[in-house]
Amino acid sequence: MGQTLTGLLTSVRAIAGRPGTPPRARPGGGPDPELLAALRHCGDHLAALAASGPLTDARRTRLIASIGALTTACSTPGADAFDALLRTGQQALDSGGDAGARLALALADEATVLRARSKGAWRLRGNALDALGRSEEAITAYERHLALQQNAAASRDVERRIATLRAAGDRIDEALALVGGGEGATGAGVDAGAVRLSRHLPAADALAAFTELVRLRTAERGAADPAVRRLAALYAEHRRLADRDPMADPLLGGAEPIGVPGLRRFLAGRTVCLVADTPHTAEQEQRPGSSLAALIGGYDLVVRCDAVRHAAPTARTDLHAVTLRGDSQWKGARWDRRATARLVFGDPLPHWRLALRSRLVPGAQDRIGDATLRRPLHDPALLAEAAADADQPASTAFTVLRLLDFLGTPARVDLIGFEGPAALPPREREWIGARTGRTDDTAVRITLR
């Protein structure tokens, strides 16, 4: 691949010129200047890839092959290289990362100059801007695509994406109005210059500014303040909208995504038990007529956590919660235990998304927690706690308990079997002990509410 990449880079430079030299059309009906400019952008990207070391990513390999096809089209007299240009732009976008999105945008810019009425070129430009977090510019490009698109049914996903981007911007506008600031202003009482929030900021910058605004406002007025509660709700809605994929994605694993409101409804008025996965509990649960089996069977919702190794595959699981750990969170056993709902806790967002796509089993769950529920302990819209010590991360059971306690809608929450090897860490037991209503030694049960 190194020689192929080097040879392709040499061919691209021979046609389009080297960096710092303006591309020019070759005599005798050579490529258009825009195509030469596009090739030069590709050459710059190839040079960066060559300097990054061996290529093992299949997406980048496909991009290199696409650049090769574009180079061939540009060097073939009479060939129409426009379609090859759009394909290369899409492959650049599919390769992932800001560098790929920037290359896609550069190619889309040349494509819209070549053919200003190409709906494909404008959609590529919108997708690239969207991937770079430049939402307002993306909306403009998407709208240009829609104006050129004759088949409305073919662009339903673009219409949905425009609506999502606008809704996210509207949440920012309402937040600014709530704190008494204008476009790009700070809220009254918030340190001037500490927060610069605007719907025109890149998505990552807007999210960081929104997070800081919620933090400062909460520290200033307290979480019980009605305006702060509304601000936190707007932030949660903005996060939900911002965490969606750039274009509509099929429901993961055939399940219905649920956020905080949906989980509240799922839990409302129900009795809940968290069952520890221990050999003793599993044996008692499977024994016909055992008191523990009858006890667990009497709850409305049974919660199990992480890899369930001891309970029978057919053991009832209404809610399964799992925490992603390690550097390759998307690798590991697939979640094939049947559950009515599944919550997956993890960070960062791209790894969380990839884990869902890699490890969910179609049909194994009816509902799946969305991105607003992936980090409940530290999300400013939920518990808003400082990040825990990396050496002592919260257990999944404790994260579930804290989330259920925060939501406040279950009628009762019990822990069953969390003793001996299954005992939670001291700081988690301390939190539970301060909220324990009663204990039942015969059933090894701890009642929180």
Side-chain angles (χ1 to χ4, degrees):
M1 178 57 70
Q3 292 181 342
T4 302
L5 180 57
T6 302
L8 178 57
L9 179 57
T10 300
S11 299
V12 169
R13 296 297 194 212
I15 297 172
R18 303 188 65 81
T21 60
R24 60 183 184 279
R26 286 161 41 174
D32 292 304
E34 292 79 15
L35 287 173
L36 293 176
L39 273 182
R40 188 173 64 172
H41 290 304
C42 291
D44 295 342
H45 193 78
L46 289 174
L49 289 179
S52 66
L55 297 177
T56 58
D57 191 328
R59 296 174 301 174
R60 291 183 175 181
T61 302
R62 289 192 292 269
L63 171 58
I64 292 170
S66 186
I67 293 175
L70 175 61
T71 304
T72 299
C74 288
S75 60
T76 303
D80 186 355
F82 189 77
D83 287 346
L85 175 61
L86 293 187
R87 284 194 296 272
T88 303
Q90 186 58 51
Q91 289 292 349
L93 198 58
D94 292 344
S95 70
D98 286 349
R102 286 193 297 267
L103 175 59
L105 178 58
L107 300 187
D109 286 342
E110 302 300 341
T112 56
V113 173
L114 268 176
R115 297 185 187 178
R117 295 187 59 78
S118 167
K119 56 182 179 289
W122 284 106
R123 179 162 182 168
L124 176 62
R125 190 172 196 277
N127 288 347
L129 288 165
D130 200 349
L132 291 169
R134 294 159 61 176
S135 303
E136 296 300 313
E137 294 173 85
I139 289 174
T140 300
Y142 284 146
E143 289 178 331
R144 185 68 180 271
H145 163 82
L146 291 178
L148 296 167
Q149 177 63 267
Q150 300 297 317
N151 182 4
S155 294
R156 291 284 185 253
D157 54 348
V158 176
E159 293 174 349
R160 287 193 296 268
R161 186 56 184 164
I162 290 175
T164 296
L165 293 174
R166 282 182 171 153
D170 291 345
R171 302 307 186 273
I172 290 177
D173 289 345
E174 185 177 345
L176 290 171
L178 185 67
V179 300
E183 176 70 19
T186 61
V190 176
D191 181 26
V195 178
R196 302 294 299 180
L197 180 60
S198 166
R199 69 186 298 156
H200 297 289
L201 286 172
D205 295 341
L207 183 57
F210 209 156
T211 302
E212 183 67 4
L213 178 60
V214 173
R215 186 189 70 80
L216 292 173
R217 206 67 171 182
T218 303
E220 176 192 350
R221 297 192 175 184
D225 182 81
V228 172
R229 293 177 66 86
R230 178 55 186 161
L231 183 64
L234 290 170
Y235 173 80
E237 292 173 15
H238 181 268
R239 281 287 301 272
R240 175 179 59 82
L241 294 165
D243 284 346
R244 290 182 181 175
D245 285 336
M247 282 292 171
D249 195 32
L251 294 181
L252 294 170
E256 173 193 357
I258 59 170
V260 174
L263 184 59
R264 274 199 173 102
R265 290 192 296 270
F266 180 67
L267 298 167
R270 294 181 165 185
T271 57
V272 180
C273 70
L274 275 73
V275 180
D277 185 45
T278 65
H280 174 73
T281 302
E283 189 272 331
Q284 290 293 317
E285 191 176 0
Q286 294 175 55
R287 179 180 297 176
S290 77
S291 59
L292 185 60
L295 175 66
I296 294 175
Y299 287 90
D300 297 320
L301 295 176
V302 176
V303 182
R304 303 182 195 272
C305 299
D306 295 318
V308 183
R309 297 183 175 88
H310 302 292
T314 56
R316 174 182 158 205
T317 304
D318 300 295
L319 175 62
H320 176 236
V322 59
T323 299
L324 302 174
R325 306 192 191 279
D327 296 329
S328 301
Q329 302 170 353
W330 54 91
K331 297 180 180 179
R334 302 188 74 190
W335 301 311
D336 55 2
R337 174 174 288 272
R338 185 70 177 90
T340 306
R342 201 177 309 277
L343 298 179
V344 180
F345 306 130
D347 214 21
L349 177 62
H351 292 183
W352 177 85
R353 281 177 172 159
L354 184 55
L356 260 61
R357 290 171 178 164
S358 302
R359 300 177 65 181
L360 282 179
V361 175
Q365 57 279 312
D366 300 323
R367 301 176 180 89
I368 179 70
D370 68 12
T372 63
L373 290 168
R374 67 185 176 87
R375 49 194 301 270
L377 296 184
H378 313 308
D379 193 322
L382 295 174
L383 290 164
E385 294 185 350
D389 185 351
D391 295 330
Q392 293 183 324
S395 68
T396 303
F398 186 65
T399 301
V400 172
L401 284 174
R402 296 295 308 277
L403 179 59
L404 298 186
D405 183 69
F406 173 81
L407 296 175
T409 54
R412 174 174 173 171
V413 180
D414 290 352
L415 287 81
I416 295 179
F418 285 87
E419 82 288 346
L424 298 174
R427 65 183 182 85
E428 298 181 4
R429 293 202 305 270
E430 181 180 354
W431 183 91
I432 293 170
R435 291 161 178 79
T436 297
R438 68 184 181 89
T439 60
D440 185 341
D441 293 335
T442 59
V444 197
R445 176 172 56 173
I446 302 171
T447 301
L448 294 187
R449 64 169 72 237

